Amino acid sequence: MKFLIISFFFLLFSCRNENSKPNDIDSKKISNEIKTQFKEIKRDTLIVNNLKFVIKQFKEGNLDFSLVILNEKFDTIYKHNDFIDEYKIIDFNNDGYQDIELDYITNVPGIVDVLLFDLASGKFQIIEELGNYPSPIKIKKSEYYYSYERAGCADYNWESNLFYISDYKCVKIGNITGKGCGYEKRNGIFINKIVNNKEVEINWIKRDTGYYEDKWEFIEKYWTKNHLKFTK
């Protein structure tokens, strides 16, 4: 009888241990899945206009967002739905307040989104359609920007657009197009003004076929000197 009682308890506890193993494995599996889906890869604390924010970037997984911004109460005030490569804290519009630049890995270099700090609301607002203006640069002592984008033929063809930002939207007002590939009817640098939402050629600088090594200097100097002519 004593032997039967001992055997009964041995079987009882053996069954409990075996039944508990699958639950333990499932818990670990679920935990690992959560960690994978919500793996935080970068975090910054940002103070703008005496307001505290926490920026969190997450690894791509089953998430529907890649970056969130929390206020000092840890309420989510912004979610970014497109997956980014990295983010940078910069003063994009030189207004004295820090903004957040979101960088992507794409076939076109310099594609970014920017979250501008909105002083009135104390939050961050994305600039609409900024992705259409790669590598944006602000013209010093102005409210205007210009971009640079390859347009084919091993960068012999290229474009630079002049624009400004109004109500968090980009407004294009000018364009410089470089054509040096050789298959066009005309080679050179074409200056265009936006009239009724269309590009109208206002100047053509003839150039020979080839790579224009001075294009960076030309773009910077031309827009800096002439950008106000495109506002009229």
Side-chain angles (χ1 to χ4, degrees):
M1 185 68 178
K2 184 176 180 180
F3 174 77
L4 290 175
I5 293 173
I6 294 173
S7 299
F8 173 76
F9 277 102
F10 176 80
L11 289 173
L12 179 63
F13 281 105
S14 296
C15 291
R16 285 180 178 176
N17 289 336
E18 289 177 358
N19 290 335
S20 65
K21 286 181 180 179
N23 292 330
D24 291 341
I25 294 173
D26 290 344
S27 297
K28 290 179 180 179
K29 182 179 179 181
I30 292 171
S31 178
N32 288 334
E33 286 179 353
I34 292 174
K35 288 179 181 178
T36 300
Q37 293 175 18
F38 293 88
K39 185 177 180 182
E40 184 182 314
I41 60 175
K42 186 178 179 182
R43 173 193 294 214
D44 278 298
T45 299
L46 178 61
I47 297 178
V48 187
N49 197 34
N50 296 320
L51 297 174
K52 182 179 179 181
F53 302 94
V54 176
I55 309 167
K56 295 184 179 182
Q57 182 184 357
F58 295 89
K59 178 182 177 181
E60 183 174 353
N62 294 328
L63 297 172
D64 60 353
F65 59 87
S66 62
L67 179 138
V68 297
I69 302 176
L70 311 175
N71 62 17
E72 56 189 6
K73 296 180 180 179
F74 293 97
D75 296 324
T76 299
I77 61 171
Y78 179 83
K79 276 186 179 182
H80 194 72
N81 295 327
D82 295 324
F83 286 101
I84 62 173
D85 178 46
E86 63 175 347
Y87 69 84
K88 301 173 186 174
I89 298 173
I90 62 171
D91 183 0
F92 179 77
N93 55 357
N94 295 331
D95 64 350
Y97 300 102
Q98 296 287 70
D99 310 303
I100 304 169
E101 180 181 281
L102 310 177
D103 296 336
Y104 300 90
I105 297 178
T106 66
N107 293 331
V108 179
I111 296 292
V112 299
D113 274 322
V114 171
L115 308 176
L116 287 181
F117 178 73
D118 179 30
L119 187 61
S121 66
K123 296 182 179 180
F124 291 88
Q125 178 75 33
I126 194 167
I127 303 173
E128 296 181 22
E129 299 182 351
L130 186 62
N132 295 331
Y133 303 91
S135 304
I137 296 176
K138 194 172 192 291
I139 299 173
K140 294 179 180 179
K141 298 180 181 180
S142 81
E143 297 302 319
Y144 297 89
Y145 303 77
Y146 64 87
S147 65
Y148 177 84
E149 181 178 0
R150 299 173 182 175
C153 198
D155 207 17
Y156 279 34
N157 293 349
W158 46 269
E159 291 192 15
S160 176
N161 291 310
L162 177 69
F163 67 100
Y164 65 91
I165 299 170
S166 175
D167 195 24
Y168 300 99
K169 296 179 182 178
C170 296
V171 181
K172 179 179 173 181
I173 59 175
N175 167 272
I176 301 175
T177 296
K179 294 182 179 180
C181 201
Y183 58 76
E184 298 88 357
K185 293 182 180 179
R186 293 184 295 164
N187 284 290
I189 297 176
F190 300 77
I191 312 296
N192 305 293
K193 186 175 182 178
I194 308 304
V195 180
N196 296 326
N197 296 319
K198 294 182 179 180
E199 292 183 2
V200 177
E201 185 179 315
I202 60 174
N203 194 12
W204 169 47
I205 304 171
K206 186 178 180 180
R207 291 283 189 97
D208 293 331
T209 300
Y211 184 83
Y212 305 152
E213 294 183 358
D214 66 333
K215 62 182 176 180
W216 310 106
E217 183 180 3
F218 177 89
I219 292 169
E220 180 183 4
K221 285 186 175 180
Y222 186 88
W223 287 137
T224 300
K225 183 179 179 180
N226 298 289
H227 62 275
L228 291 180
K229 295 179 181 179
F230 292 80
T231 64
K232 300 175 182 178

